[in-house]
Amino acid sequence: MSDTRPEADPVVAPWRQTEITLTGTRDHANPYTDLDVWAEFTHDSGTVLRRPAFWDGGRVWKVRFASPEADGRWTWRSGSSVADEGLSEQGGTLVVRPAVDDANSFHRHGFWRMSPGRRSLVHADGTPALLVGDTAWALPWRATEEQVTEYAADRRAKGFNAALLMSVQPDMDARGPRDRTADEGFDVGFEDLPTGHITALNPAYFQYLDRLIGILRDHGIVPVLQPLFHGFGWKGLRVAGPVVPPQEYARYCRYLVARYGAAPAVYLVGADGEGHEPQIAAGGAEVGHWDDYGQPCGIHYRPHADNSAHQSESWLHFQWCQTGHMGGHVQERVADMWRNTPAKAVANAEPTYENTGRPGRAAGWWQGHEAWSNLCAGGTMGVVYGAASLWQWRLHPAEPGHEEFFLAKDAGWREALDFEGSHHVGLISRILDGLPLTDMRPDWRSALAPRGLSVPGVLYLWYAEEGGPLFVTDPENVPLPYRVIDPRTGETVREGVRATDADPVPDEGGAPRVYICHDPSRS
């Protein structure tokens, strides 16, 4: 039966962002700081979701929402902390109908959240997921739409599905033209950041960032949103993260949830600090309070931190270490973090940037070996790659004003995009695609393998930098079907089914290998 009402209720598809605009009836001195606006959505089933609204300039506020229900009807009602009839007690209805033939994994399976064992990522419907991230920290305030389109296409083709982003330029003493195409130029998210505050928000900056993040998401790349760095930042010029008042930091975290949290996102409430800074606790609690989708929220540490701040907090889902930029493999940092309790997901979010400081440092297969080793040490949330000159979005090989140690010789962001190591890290998502990875755990007892992971009885995964036969020591835990893969190319070099539990997985040795023993019938 067709809908004969003059204005039919808007129709939305599951897990797609829809936007509702609210217009205030009067002016406020600083809408960003002086008002709290939200909307509550109630589904026919009784499910209730609350979404914060964000100020978008003038008297305009917007609410972004995505339905986690596959069908039915949502009714919504807005509220405001300050009396304004244009912002409070507004309402409406949304009708949910499934979309047809949508290849986007987040539309089909829902946003990322933590697994039942809190060790890995899954989609909302339980489908396993693995983060394969790139550190494009300065993209939000340096890159153009055309550049991000080129960047996203490259990373998507290589297998990346996430990008770590400083949401605003964090250095209080950085100076340069407000021009993304000029040497040392950058756009500005908060006019008062140089004074150690973030209260004078620039809506035009975030409107442009909307478009950049939209390009990433269109290519299947999830933004990992970091409010304000606590460590080196862009040029090491006094970062605002440890300086801004915690309540301002928390308000900005809420703004990020409001503006970007009705589509795939990860929240990185602390980065390059000790983790105990008061801004991080305030920001994490605010994300936990306002993100009803439960998208992943965590902390990324400096190399010399204990990597366990707020381990017991409910808002904390993951802990990410950083092992520095001297070219060493330090997987024991990941292994130590995996043992912390209560359990949280772990990853090494910042190994040595490829070609940082001198040509050849941490270059090529070094990055692949690093990623597989971190994964098998317990970094089962995923792997992360970084390239010198790309992370700070150096405009061209001769752009001045950057710390020499963090640059790649004769490279801007575009040249760094082609460094070989990114190919090896991105391939991990292709090699492990479709496997039951959820809550896999380090396992050095099921085979004579120093770097193994298992989902007991279902999946056994081994990485060996020199290859060779895999001798099984726990037959009950290692399925008979196997594949042997060259992780440098993704090519399956051997596959079959072992005749008996006592038989090894064969390989002649002499080259890096990944061994996957998986019996789909036992999944």
Side-chain angles (χ1 to χ4, degrees):
M1 178 181 296
S2 63
D3 195 331
T4 59
R5 290 172 295 171
E7 294 183 10
D9 293 327
V11 176
V12 299
W15 297 110
R16 275 67 154 191
Q17 177 178 283
T18 189
E19 185 174 281
I20 298 166
T21 298
L22 303 172
T23 303
T25 58
R26 60 189 182 89
D27 295 325
H28 302 272
N30 185 343
Y32 172 68
T33 61
D34 296 348
L35 283 74
D36 293 330
V37 181
W38 63 90
E40 189 171 275
F41 295 78
T42 303
H43 189 259
D44 294 340
S45 64
T47 299
V48 177
L49 281 176
R50 185 183 53 166
R51 291 287 300 146
F54 62 90
W55 177 61
D56 204 32
R59 295 181 177 182
V60 175
W61 289 74
K62 294 181 178 179
V63 180
R64 290 175 175 169
F65 171 78
S67 173
E69 301 288 349
D71 53 23
R73 189 181 302 267
W74 294 88
T75 57
W76 63 271
R77 181 70 56 182
S78 68
S80 173
S81 62
V82 174
D84 188 318
E85 63 184 19
L87 302 177
S88 59
E89 297 305 316
Q90 300 295 308
T93 303
L94 301 172
V95 176
V96 187
R97 292 176 184 162
V100 178
D101 298 329
D102 194 325
N104 185 303
S105 61
F106 292 97
H107 294 170
R108 289 185 289 115
H109 302 297
F111 302 160
W112 281 343
R113 60 181 58 174
M114 304 317 298
S115 61
R118 302 188 296 277
R119 293 294 192 183
S120 56
L121 294 176
V122 294
H123 288 271
D125 67 355
T127 300
L130 183 78
L131 181 146
V132 179
D134 186 29
T135 44
W137 290 118
L139 178 155
W141 29 274
R142 297 221 82 198
T144 66
E145 292 177 76
E146 294 76 17
Q147 292 169 351
V148 173
T149 299
E150 184 174 6
Y151 167 83
D154 177 274
R155 277 358 195 190
R156 171 64 181 268
K158 288 175 178 170
F160 289 89
N161 59 17
L164 280 60
L165 308 173
M166 299 184 200
S167 58
V168 294
Q169 193 286 116
D171 290 6
M172 292 188 291
D173 293 336
R175 300 292 183 267
R178 193 173 297 195
D179 183 347
R180 293 169 180 265
T181 65
D183 282 6
E184 300 192 68
F186 57 92
D187 205 351
V188 174
F190 289 94
E191 303 293 346
D192 56 346
L193 188 144
T195 70
H197 290 276
I198 48 172
T199 62
L201 183 138
N202 177 10
Y205 172 88
F206 290 96
Q207 290 159 4
Y208 195 88
L209 183 56
D210 284 354
R211 299 198 291 274
L212 301 185
I213 288 178
I215 293 168
L216 294 176
R217 285 170 168 161
D218 287 346
H219 287 81
I221 297 175
V222 176
V224 180
L225 298 166
Q226 208 291 311
L228 285 170
F229 244 50
H230 285 78
F232 183 81
W234 183 34
K235 297 184 177 184
L237 300 174
R238 289 202 311 144
V239 287
V243 176
V244 300
Q247 66 270 23
E248 293 181 17
Y249 196 91
R251 178 170 289 276
Y252 181 41
C253 288
R254 175 179 171 177
Y255 188 86
L256 293 174
V257 172
R259 188 148 202 148
Y260 300 109
V266 174
Y267 303 109
L268 196 60
V269 293
D272 209 34
E274 292 289 340
H276 299 284
E277 297 85 350
Q279 295 84 2
I280 293 174
E286 194 77 358
V287 171
H289 182 72
W290 284 101
D291 177 31
D292 280 3
Y293 295 112
Q295 300 204 73
C297 176
I299 302 173
H300 166 47
Y301 293 89
R302 63 181 52 156
H304 48 287
D306 65 16
N307 303 346
S308 61
H310 310 295
Q311 189 80 18
S312 298
E313 294 292 342
S314 60
W315 56 260
L316 183 84
H317 301 137
F318 65 84
Q319 303 274 34
W320 286 355
C321 70
Q322 173 187 176
T323 49
H325 301 283
M326 301 303 293
H329 297 294
V330 197
Q331 285 78 45
E332 59 265 30
R333 299 303 303 277
V334 175
D336 285 346
M337 293 167 68
W338 192 88
R339 299 184 186 100
N340 290 336
T341 56
K344 305 290 181 178
V346 173
N348 183 356
E350 203 170 348
T352 302
Y353 294 134
E354 187 166 13
N355 291 313
T356 194
R358 62 172 174 78
R361 176 178 280 149
W365 175 244
W366 187 101
Q367 295 288 339
H369 172 73
E370 172 76 359
W372 283 106
S373 298
N374 281 313
L375 184 73
C376 291
T380 53
M381 184 174 180
V383 295
V384 180
Y385 165 82
S389 291
L390 189 149
W391 74 263
Q392 60 272 67
W393 211 266
R394 191 186 193 191
L395 297 187
H396 55 83
E399 186 191 16
H402 298 282
E403 172 62 49
E404 285 294 323
F405 179 79
F406 288 114
L407 293 177
K409 183 178 175 59
D410 299 326
W413 76 270
R414 182 57 193 83
E415 291 76 17
L417 202 60
D418 296 330
F419 290 166
E420 178 192 344
S422 62
H423 165 79
H424 298 306
V425 178
L427 264 179
I428 292 176
S429 69
R430 309 277 195 239
I431 292 170
L432 301 182
D433 184 46
L435 292 172
L437 307 176
T438 302
D439 288 325
M440 58 185 176
R441 55 187 294 139
D443 183 347
W444 55 91
R445 300 180 63 184
S446 295
L448 295 178
R451 296 186 180 93
L453 293 166
S454 69
V455 177
V458 174
L459 173 69
Y460 185 79
L461 170 69
W462 177 36
Y463 163 64
E465 58 189 299
E466 294 294 335
L470 172 65
F471 295 100
V472 176
T473 54
D474 184 355
E476 290 295 318
N477 203 36
V478 182
L480 296 175
Y482 68 85
R483 286 187 291 142
V484 182
I485 297 166
D486 184 340
R488 300 166 299 178
T489 65
E491 176 188 2
T492 298
V493 298
R494 185 174 289 104
E495 62 183 321
V497 179
R498 291 182 295 130
T500 72
D501 287 339
D503 290 339
V505 176
D507 183 72
E508 66 276 10
R513 291 290 184 260
V514 169
Y515 307 72
I516 297 173
C517 299
H518 173 225
D519 185 350
S521 69
R522 298 166 72 177
S523 296

